[in-house]
Amino acid sequence: MIDVIDFGLTRDGEKVQLFTLRNKNGLTAKITNYGGILTSFILPLPNEERNIVLGFDSLEEYTSDDYLSNYPYFGALIGRFGNRINKGIVTLDGEEIQLPCNHDMHHLHGGNIGFDRKVWKAEVINNEDLKLSYLSPDGEENFPGNLSTEVIYKLTDENELQIHYKAVTDKTTPINLTQHSYFNLSNNFESILNHKLQVDTAFILETNDFLIPSGKIYDIRKTLFDFQTKKSIDRDIEDIENYDDCYAFGESTETPRKVAELSDKDDVVTMEIATTLPGLQVYTGKYITAGKFGPFSGVALEAQGYPDAPNHKNFKHGWLKPGEVYQHQTNYKLIF
């Protein structure tokens, strides 16, 4: 079941709506077609309704100068290319393409105005699924090709929020779509440092100080980055300071496989993450300063392709060619 209300106007006067998805168990997910943002995800616990994602109640808060000045991308769909591209440069058919450098000297999350700040066309399917569509024109943020993207949000009666991605292009283009929600499974948005996390791989991408991959895959067994056995996020945080790493699972898969699990400190709520994508960016939110939310108020678990993939031949999924279909799925399943 999906309800629709007006959510306000953008600064350019575009009308924005807010869609509330419900399942038979009382879970509700609120999503706006501005940026495809998941504004809230509420669980019906015995003594409370608990929101488990960081977000706001109004469009104005998402578009304010204060929020955008230290922009954490709360809950948004990210494209055309999520995460980082080294110095914003990719090479196609021997020619360099310069993409916007909006994060120090590097490209981040699609550029100056990515998919996270676009108004998507919204369609409710069978009063169950929310389909969002966006046509990114050739040359937008200097990306080549007209990229037609659709994302379907589906809330199942198995308490699973599914995100289905699909895209086609008429010119070869870099692509890496993801969803940028920050999760906090506690009540009252306590620090996520007391959450317990498991990530089902022994490998992350080796990166430099700007989080640009070297192209090497780093074996993290028995290091502070190893979450193969579930552990509290704060166990090694004093030495790490902040996790912001892409955990590597190898090839993409045709159907989602479980890659991670997050629980609150008391094990009241557990969330399982499954995806067809080859990477999971784990960001523990040290630099969040947005409204009432501060450092470590949420953890981002972004299923995605590898950052800077177009610049590494051994990362095989950074490009989309005409005639190909980019198709992936990520599921967030709640157990409570």
Side-chain angles (χ1 to χ4, degrees), residues 203-321:
F203 302 96
I204 60 173
L205 303 191
E206 181 184 73
T207 59
N208 64 17
D209 290 344
F210 294 97
L211 304 182
I212 301 297
S214 68
K216 297 179 182 178
I217 309 295
Y218 178 49
D219 189 326
I220 55 170
R221 276 172 280 209
K222 298 182 181 179
T223 74
L224 304 183
F225 295 91
D226 190 351
F227 282 92
Q228 290 181 96
T229 299
K230 203 170 190 179
K231 69 176 183 180
S232 178
I233 293 173
D234 67 1
R235 193 176 85 179
D236 301 310
I237 201 72
E238 188 172 325
D239 294 314
I240 295 292
E241 294 187 7
N242 179 52
Y243 289 95
D244 198 354
D245 301 279
C246 187
Y247 285 74
F249 300 90
E251 298 296 324
S252 303
T253 56
E254 290 189 7
T255 57
R257 81 288 203 196
K258 181 174 175 281
V259 295
E261 181 175 301
L262 181 72
S263 300
D264 70 303
K265 66 176 181 178
D266 299 318
D267 292 315
V268 174
V269 179
T270 294
M271 182 175 69
E272 296 179 351
I273 300 98
T275 188
T276 61
L277 287 155
L280 183 75
Q281 188 78 17
V282 175
Y283 171 48
T284 49
K286 178 181 179 180
Y287 302 105
I288 297 173
T289 54
K292 66 180 181 180
F293 302 110
F296 303 115
S297 56
V299 55
L301 300 167
E302 309 156 60
Q304 58 184 252
Y306 296 164
D308 201 35
N311 292 317
H312 303 278
K313 290 183 179 179
N314 58 321
F315 297 172
K316 300 176 182 179
H317 39 262
W319 296 96
L320 180 66
K321 299 177 181 178

Side-chain angles (χ1 to χ4, degrees), residues 47-114:
N47 299 312
E48 62 173 314
E49 290 192 334
R50 183 178 296 186
N51 182 21
I52 62 166
V53 297
L54 308 192
F56 301 124
D57 295 326
S58 70
L59 180 63
E60 289 76 17
E61 289 170 284
Y62 286 106
T63 58
S64 71
D65 291 337
D66 183 58
Y67 175 64
L68 296 175
S69 67
N70 189 36
Y71 188 27
Y73 298 87
F74 280 171
L77 295 176
I78 303 297
R80 193 177 293 197
F81 198 94
N83 217 314
R84 291 153 179 83
I85 293 178
N86 187 25
K87 298 180 181 177
I89 296 173
V90 297
T91 302
L92 178 61
D93 297 329
E95 294 188 11
E96 285 190 354
I97 299 171
Q98 180 65 65
L99 303 171
C101 293
N102 59 315
H103 187 70
D104 293 317
M105 66 187 80
H106 304 292
H107 178 89
L108 176 69
H109 290 341
N112 295 315
I113 301 179

Side-chain angles (χ1 to χ4, degrees), residues 28-202:
T28 61
K30 293 187 178 182
I31 299 159
T32 173
N33 62 320
Y34 173 79
I37 295 170
L38 176 66
T39 67
S40 68
F41 193 14
I42 299 173
L43 313 184
L45 299 182
N47 299 312
E48 62 173 314
E49 290 192 334
R50 183 178 296 186
N51 182 21
I52 62 166
V53 297
L54 308 192
F56 301 124
D57 295 326
S58 70
L59 180 63
E60 289 76 17
E61 289 170 284
Y62 286 106
T63 58
S64 71
D65 291 337
D66 183 58
Y67 175 64
L68 296 175
S69 67
N70 189 36
Y71 188 27
Y73 298 87
F74 280 171
L77 295 176
I78 303 297
R80 193 177 293 197
F81 198 94
N83 217 314
R84 291 153 179 83
I85 293 178
N86 187 25
K87 298 180 181 177
I89 296 173
V90 297
T91 302
L92 178 61
D93 297 329
E95 294 188 11
E96 285 190 354
I97 299 171
Q98 180 65 65
L99 303 171
C101 293
N102 59 315
H103 187 70
D104 293 317
M105 66 187 80
H106 304 292
H107 178 89
L108 176 69
H109 290 341
N112 295 315
I113 301 179
F115 290 6
D116 52 286
R117 293 170 65 185
K118 301 294 184 181
V119 178
W120 294 59
K121 178 184 176 183
E123 179 184 357
V124 175
I125 302 173
N126 299 325
N127 202 30
E128 290 184 354
D129 303 338
L130 176 62
K131 178 181 174 181
L132 300 177
S133 306
Y134 178 65
L135 176 61
S136 177
D138 184 18
E140 182 173 71
E141 298 292 309
N142 216 32
F143 283 95
N146 295 291
L147 183 73
S148 179
T149 303
E150 71 176 42
V151 176
I152 294 176
Y153 282 103
K154 183 182 184 75
L155 183 59
T156 74
D157 287 335
E158 288 70 42
N159 298 337
E160 191 170 70
L161 181 64
Q162 298 181 353
I163 306 166
H164 300 259
Y165 304 93
K166 186 176 181 181
V168 294
T169 184
D170 59 4
K171 293 181 183 177
T172 300
T173 187
I175 189 170
N176 188 17
L177 305 180
T178 189
Q179 213 282 349
H180 208 299
S181 285
Y182 292 79
F183 297 95
N184 187 318
L185 306 185
S186 68
N187 57 358
N188 299 319
F189 294 108
E190 298 171 6
S191 169
I192 54 86
L193 292 178
N194 61 23
H195 282 40
K196 288 165 280 188
L197 178 66
Q198 178 179 342
V199 184
D200 299 330
T201 181

